[in-house]
Amino acid sequence: MKVLGLVGSGRKDGNTNTLVEKMLEGGRSKGLETKKVFLADLHIEPIGDCVACRRAGKCSKQDEFDSLMDEVLDSDCVIFGTPVYWYGPSAQMKAFIDRWVCRMHFDEEGFRAKMKGKKCVLAVPHQDEKLSGAKYLLGMMEQTFEFMDMALVGKIQTTAWRRREVSQDEVAQRHAFELGARLAEVEAIKEASGSVTFNFSKRLIER
Amino acid sequence: MKVLGLVGSGRKDGNTNTLVEKMLEGGRSKGLETKKVFLADLHIEPIGDCVACRRAGKCSKQDEFDSLMDEVLDSDCVIFGTPVYWYGPSAQMKAFIDRWVCRMHFDEEGFRAKMKGKKCVLAVPHQDEKLSGAKYLLGMMEQTFEFMDMALVGKIQTTAWRRREVSQDEVAQRHAFELGARLAEVEAIKEASGSVTFNFSKRLIER
Amino acid sequence: MKVLGLVGSGRKDGNTNTLVEKMLEGGRSKGLETKKVFLADLHIEPIGDCVACRRAGKCSKQDEFDSLMDEVLDSDCVIFGTPVYWYGPSAQMKAFIDRWVCRMHFDEEGFRAKMKGKKCVLAVPHQDEKLSGAKYLLGMMEQTFEFMDMALVGKIQTTAWRRREVSQDEVAQRHAFELGARLAEVEAIKEASGSVTFNFSKRLIER
Amino acid sequence: MKVLGLVGSGRKDGNTNTLVEKMLEGGRSKGLETKKVFLADLHIEPIGDCVACRRAGKCSKQDEFDSLMDEVLDSDCVIFGTPVYWYGPSAQMKAFIDRWVCRMHFDEEGFRAKMKGKKCVLAVPHQDEKLSGAKYLLGMMEQTFEFMDMALVGKIQTTAWRRREVSQDEVAQRHAFELGARLAEVEAIKEASGSVTFNFSKRLIER
């Protein structure tokens, strides 16, 4: 199984990267093949007016969307890592997702068939003290996955006020690792019929 | 540690009961003391106009709210089990929570001090096919716990279209059991700084 | 056109009543027939286990649900007035809505046909300083109306920290009146294709 | 009073533009000064890692963020027009908002002082049939405005499945016009203490 981790933060060595990296480590501990991509390294344009593209019969944007999209399609599981910026995902992550429409315009059925059932995971660090600060981001992403019939395997969110805070938060890292390891154990989740959530705390004392 | 499981469904042998019961079993497997209460067995009136009560210096309702509230206060952890009825908790569960105000009116500081840090868990079966069908219920309950500074340890939700469906869903039962067992391992979670969620499926094949 | 205003607060002379009353006044100013019902005056039991009822062929509860439900069915437009209690509607309002299932159990098609397209309005005062404090209540109620194919014509929400605060808030009262008057002008809204919202403020200076 | 209308769609002659344009027309009918900006005409980079900038003492991005931000600061009211793309705002709009942090990094107090109380309006067309399809976008934007203490005056949302559908929807256009006109009448809304919403329908028959 191939796991692709997307780091959607503008910062390459920050909290989002730590969460995604630990999750990929967890996957590798179970023998999964992993790859990490920093959206900050790619040039992906926002979606434009699709009329010209439709006339031309192909997307007119000259950027790295297609290669990233192909990597997503080629992966069994995709980790969407994004910080909470203004209660939503980063503009980089949003630009990538907005462009999915380019594929749908030219071959909706084919694109849907490839995305359907694809496993995905959310990794979301945020500066808000309260976990509820991520609710609109989570809602937006979950409904996107639901719309594409993707198989959301799980999600992790952590508060992290300071730069690199997660790199000192062993509890968060352990949970990210375990979520990554779990990817190997879940053969097929299809449509989720349930979910279980464990809240944790930096100040948590676990026996 | 004492765990109190509240079954907020009008049905005593239904899906909510199964989730709460499995969670209590998980707790007992770790040596926790457990108790289950069916809200359907109790007479709890909705909140009225509190002016008369304030004048009288005590709540005027003659019902079983006080004894249940005292049991909650006396427990280390409370499982709030409620089905999703019309996108919210059952009226029975809502009536109990609405009445918390009766305690706050007479001794807000004292009541808050007792609720603060109290561990709680959510157990939510629902008929909606999609997990997103519980989002308003979860938001409402989570914000209630946040307002009282309670320590939400975790939550489980399952779709269950048919009567007693959860009693045939071994995956859901196992996750409920594990969430219950986890209660013993978490000494103190205080304010959660993170959460990890595992989605599961009846049709899930786990290696 | 017949407008029924439901006051779901435990307090009969409070903020919910003021909003509902002003809206009914607005309706009467356009010649509409109006009626107001206080849920606090009625005995409506929470929903129980429906198995016994199904066997008996009719709902076993002996209370005032049926007469209220019939009044709702007999009205062209229903105002659902409820305070925000713990981020949701009052238990009284929730108990009434939960019981709609009793009708659906025995004649889902017939009940749906009668509710479909029925105009409804939300009137929601709340103690939260921020309008966002009502979001779960609004979401829950709006999805309920959507599920029943009812025609939500509009909604009004106001912050009101103190008892009877809305009775001194002329801006809120004026907006409630106008929303009520609008009921007469809207022949049929069916499925809403748009909505426009005006925020207002007690401290608002309107030229 | 100066009103700035932001069109956040990739399409310059589409539904978002129609809503924003009609709103600006409404403003002009009351003598307001208006300006419209297409985000698609501007080059605004997503936020990067701010460490280099902090060291340099100024934002390192060479693009048109600063000139647009200055125009926003110079306006009394800003219309945020964005289609619903994947349950959130367009990446263009998100990129602009994400960059507000650049100003906050160097002068949080000064930036907050300038944004506080600034009037704003939301204009949101979307392809979802149901108005609830915009809820995460609205929640995200509203909480952003709340965080900055901006004064949300109102919002309009319309379903619009087809390209340019709003340009044939007179009901939606009229409501947009009226919302724009209202901008002139609202001297100061500060913190909203209430909101009133009118739902409408293309198929609406208003007497």
Side-chain angles (χ1 to χ4, degrees):
Chain A
M1 199 174 89
K2 231 165 120 177
V3 183
L4 176 67
L6 303 180
V7 178
S9 169
R11 194 175 284 169
K12 292 173 67 175
D13 62 347
N15 294 315
T16 307
N17 178 55
T18 305
L19 282 183
V20 172
E21 186 55 45
K22 280 291 153 187
M23 217 177 284
L24 293 177
E25 272 183 34
R28 286 192 295 271
S29 77
K30 298 286 184 179
L32 303 183
E33 184 186 342
T34 67
K35 181 172 180 182
K36 189 166 66 176
V37 170
F38 293 101
L39 297 193
D41 283 344
L42 302 178
H43 174 62
I44 295 181
E45 300 230 341
I47 199 165
D49 188 339
C50 307
V51 173
C53 304
R54 275 184 180 154
R55 274 182 204 144
K58 65 183 186 64
C59 180
S60 63
K61 301 275 184 188
Q62 302 295 329
D63 61 6
E64 291 163 287
F65 167 72
D66 271 329
S67 62
L68 180 57
M69 192 72 243
D70 286 342
E71 269 195 291
V72 163
L73 293 177
D74 194 45
S75 302
D76 302 289
C77 178
V78 183
I79 301 168
F80 291 83
T82 175
V84 181
Y85 286 165
W86 298 98
Y87 311 101
S90 71
Q92 290 92 325
M93 182 59 85
K94 190 63 176 42
F96 173 57
I97 294 172
D98 283 4
R99 289 285 298 284
W100 293 3
V101 168
C102 300
R103 296 283 175 114
M104 295 184 82
H105 273 164
F106 293 108
D107 178 19
E108 175 155 355
E109 211 178 322
F111 183 66
R112 280 190 168 279
K114 284 176 194 157
M115 294 297 270
K116 187 175 180 168
K118 190 175 292 296
K119 282 187 258 191
C120 55
V121 185
L122 275 163
V124 180
H126 52 106
Q127 294 198 322
D128 209 300
E129 277 172 79
K130 302 286 187 188
L131 295 180
S132 56
K135 67 175 163 286
Y136 299 117
L137 185 156
L138 294 174
M140 211 208 86
M141 297 294 283
E142 286 168 3
Q143 224 167 319
T144 292
F145 300 147
E146 197 173 298
F147 183 78
M148 295 306 297
D149 269 327
M150 296 169 75
L152 183 63
V153 173
K155 57 190 171 189
I156 185 165
Q157 62 172 136
T158 60
T159 63
W161 192 255
R162 297 184 328 281
R163 182 180 174 79
R164 293 192 200 153
E165 185 168 336
V166 176
S167 68
Q168 279 126 46
D169 181 347
E170 286 175 27
V171 180
Q173 286 181 50
R174 178 163 56 74
H175 282 288
F177 184 95
E178 281 169 16
L179 181 52
R182 195 180 141 91
L183 295 176
E185 290 163 11
V186 177
E187 189 60 58
I189 188 165
K190 308 283 179 198
E191 193 172 0
S193 67
S195 79
V196 64
T197 299
F198 302 116
N199 284 355
F200 57 83
S201 165
K202 267 165 259 181
R203 288 163 291 175
L204 180 72
I205 305 150
E206 289 187 70
R207 277 184 194 141
Chain B
M1 198 173 91
K2 233 164 117 177
V3 183
L4 176 67
L6 304 180
V7 178
S9 169
R11 193 174 285 169
K12 291 174 69 176
D13 62 348
N15 295 316
T16 306
N17 177 55
T18 306
L19 282 183
V20 172
E21 185 55 45
K22 280 292 153 186
M23 217 177 283
L24 294 176
E25 272 182 33
R28 285 192 296 270
S29 78
K30 299 286 183 177
L32 303 183
E33 184 186 343
T34 66
K35 183 172 177 181
K36 189 165 68 176
V37 170
F38 294 101
L39 296 192
D41 283 344
L42 302 178
H43 174 61
I44 296 182
E45 300 230 339
I47 200 165
D49 188 341
C50 306
V51 174
C53 304
R54 274 182 180 156
R55 272 181 204 144
K58 65 185 188 64
C59 180
S60 64
K61 301 277 184 187
Q62 303 292 331
D63 62 7
E64 290 163 289
F65 166 72
D66 271 327
S67 62
L68 180 58
M69 193 72 243
D70 287 342
E71 269 194 292
V72 164
L73 293 177
D74 194 43
S75 302
D76 301 290
C77 178
V78 183
I79 300 166
F80 291 83
T82 175
V84 180
Y85 285 164
W86 299 97
Y87 311 101
S90 71
Q92 290 93 325
M93 182 59 84
K94 191 61 175 43
F96 173 57
I97 293 172
D98 283 3
R99 290 286 297 285
W100 293 4
V101 168
C102 300
R103 294 285 175 113
M104 295 185 82
H105 273 165
F106 293 108
D107 178 19
E108 175 155 356
E109 212 178 320
F111 183 67
R112 279 190 170 279
K114 283 177 193 156
M115 294 297 269
K116 187 175 180 167
K118 189 176 293 297
K119 280 186 261 192
C120 55
V121 184
L122 276 164
V124 180
H126 52 107
Q127 294 198 323
D128 210 301
E129 274 173 82
K130 302 285 187 189
L131 294 181
S132 57
K135 67 176 163 286
Y136 299 117
L137 185 155
L138 294 175
M140 211 207 87
M141 297 295 281
E142 286 168 4
Q143 224 167 318
T144 293
F145 299 147
E146 197 174 297
F147 182 77
M148 295 307 296
D149 269 326
M150 296 170 75
L152 183 63
V153 172
K155 57 191 170 189
I156 185 166
Q157 60 170 137
T158 60
T159 62
W161 193 256
R162 295 184 330 280
R163 183 181 175 78
R164 293 191 200 155
E165 184 168 336
V166 177
S167 67
Q168 279 125 47
D169 180 348
E170 285 175 26
V171 181
Q173 286 182 51
R174 178 164 55 76
H175 282 288
F177 184 95
E178 281 169 17
L179 180 52
R182 195 180 140 92
L183 294 177
E185 290 162 12
V186 177
E187 188 60 57
I189 187 165
K190 307 284 179 200
E191 193 171 1
S193 67
S195 80
V196 63
T197 299
F198 302 116
N199 284 356
F200 56 84
S201 165
K202 264 164 261 180
R203 287 162 292 174
L204 180 71
I205 304 148
E206 289 185 70
R207 275 182 197 144
Chain C
M1 199 173 91
K2 231 165 120 178
V3 183
L4 177 68
L6 303 180
V7 178
S9 168
R11 193 174 286 167
K12 292 174 66 177
D13 61 348
N15 294 315
T16 307
N17 178 55
T18 305
L19 283 183
V20 172
E21 185 56 45
K22 281 291 154 186
M23 216 177 286
L24 294 177
E25 271 182 35
R28 285 192 296 270
S29 77
K30 299 285 184 181
L32 304 182
E33 185 186 344
T34 67
K35 183 174 178 180
K36 189 165 67 174
V37 170
F38 295 101
L39 297 192
D41 282 344
L42 302 179
H43 174 63
I44 296 182
E45 300 230 338
I47 199 164
D49 189 340
C50 307
V51 174
C53 304
R54 276 185 179 152
R55 273 182 205 143
K58 65 183 187 68
C59 180
S60 65
K61 300 278 183 186
Q62 303 293 330
D63 60 8
E64 290 162 289
F65 166 73
D66 271 328
S67 63
L68 180 58
M69 192 73 242
D70 288 341
E71 268 193 293
V72 163
L73 294 177
D74 193 42
S75 303
D76 302 289
C77 177
V78 183
I79 301 167
F80 291 83
T82 175
V84 181
Y85 285 164
W86 300 97
Y87 311 101
S90 70
Q92 290 92 325
M93 181 60 83
K94 191 62 176 41
F96 172 58
I97 293 172
D98 284 4
R99 290 285 297 286
W100 293 3
V101 168
C102 301
R103 295 285 175 111
M104 294 184 81
H105 274 163
F106 293 109
D107 179 18
E108 176 155 355
E109 211 178 322
F111 183 66
R112 280 190 170 278
K114 283 178 195 157
M115 295 297 268
K116 187 175 181 168
K118 190 176 291 297
K119 282 187 258 189
C120 55
V121 184
L122 276 163
V124 180
H126 52 107
Q127 293 199 321
D128 210 301
E129 274 173 82
K130 301 285 187 191
L131 294 180
S132 57
K135 67 176 164 286
Y136 299 117
L137 184 156
L138 294 176
M140 210 208 89
M141 298 293 284
E142 286 168 2
Q143 225 167 319
T144 293
F145 299 147
E146 197 173 298
F147 183 78
M148 295 307 296
D149 270 326
M150 295 168 76
L152 183 61
V153 173
K155 58 191 167 186
I156 185 165
Q157 61 171 139
T158 60
T159 62
W161 192 256
R162 297 184 329 279
R163 181 180 176 77
R164 293 190 200 156
E165 185 169 334
V166 177
S167 67
Q168 280 125 45
D169 181 347
E170 285 175 28
V171 180
Q173 286 181 49
R174 179 164 55 77
H175 282 289
F177 185 94
E178 281 169 15
L179 181 52
R182 196 180 140 91
L183 295 176
E185 291 163 9
V186 178
E187 187 62 56
I189 190 166
K190 307 285 179 199
E191 194 172 359
S193 67
S195 79
V196 63
T197 299
F198 303 115
N199 284 356
F200 57 84
S201 165
K202 266 166 259 180
R203 287 164 290 175
L204 179 71
I205 304 151
E206 290 187 69
R207 277 181 196 148
Chain D
M1 200 172 93
K2 232 165 117 177
V3 183
L4 177 68
L6 304 179
V7 177
S9 168
R11 192 173 287 169
K12 292 173 68 177
D13 62 347
N15 295 315
T16 306
N17 177 55
T18 306
L19 283 183
V20 172
E21 186 55 46
K22 280 291 153 187
M23 217 177 285
L24 293 177
E25 271 182 36
R28 284 193 296 271
S29 77
K30 298 286 183 180
L32 303 183
E33 186 186 341
T34 66
K35 182 173 179 182
K36 189 166 68 175
V37 171
F38 294 101
L39 296 192
D41 282 343
L42 302 179
H43 175 61
I44 296 181
E45 299 230 339
I47 200 164
D49 189 340
C50 307
V51 173
C53 304
R54 275 184 180 153
R55 273 182 204 143
K58 63 183 187 66
C59 180
S60 63
K61 300 277 184 188
Q62 303 295 330
D63 61 7
E64 290 164 288
F65 167 72
D66 271 328
S67 62
L68 179 58
M69 192 73 243
D70 287 341
E71 269 194 292
V72 163
L73 293 177
D74 194 43
S75 303
D76 301 289
C77 178
V78 183
I79 300 167
F80 292 83
T82 176
V84 180
Y85 286 165
W86 299 97
Y87 310 102
S90 70
Q92 290 94 325
M93 181 59 84
K94 193 61 177 41
F96 173 57
I97 294 173
D98 283 4
R99 289 286 296 287
W100 293 3
V101 167
C102 301
R103 297 283 175 112
M104 295 184 80
H105 273 164
F106 293 108
D107 179 18
E108 176 155 357
E109 212 178 319
F111 183 67
R112 279 189 171 279
K114 284 176 195 157
M115 294 297 269
K116 188 175 180 168
K118 190 177 292 300
K119 282 186 259 189
C120 55
V121 185
L122 276 163
V124 180
H126 53 106
Q127 293 198 321
D128 210 301
E129 276 173 81
K130 301 285 186 189
L131 295 180
S132 56
K135 66 174 164 287
Y136 299 118
L137 184 157
L138 294 175
M140 212 208 87
M141 297 294 283
E142 287 168 2
Q143 225 168 317
T144 293
F145 299 147
E146 197 173 297
F147 183 76
M148 295 307 295
D149 270 326
M150 294 169 76
L152 183 61
V153 173
K155 57 191 169 188
I156 185 165
Q157 61 172 137
T158 59
T159 62
W161 192 257
R162 297 184 330 280
R163 182 181 177 76
R164 294 194 199 154
E165 184 168 336
V166 176
S167 68
Q168 281 126 46
D169 181 346
E170 286 176 27
V171 180
Q173 288 182 49
R174 179 164 54 77
H175 282 288
F177 184 94
E178 281 169 15
L179 181 51
R182 196 181 140 91
L183 294 176
E185 291 162 10
V186 177
E187 188 60 57
I189 190 165
K190 306 284 178 201
E191 194 172 2
S193 67
S195 80
V196 63
T197 299
F198 302 115
N199 284 355
F200 57 84
S201 165
K202 264 165 261 181
R203 287 164 292 175
L204 179 72
I205 305 149
E206 290 187 70
R207 276 181 195 148

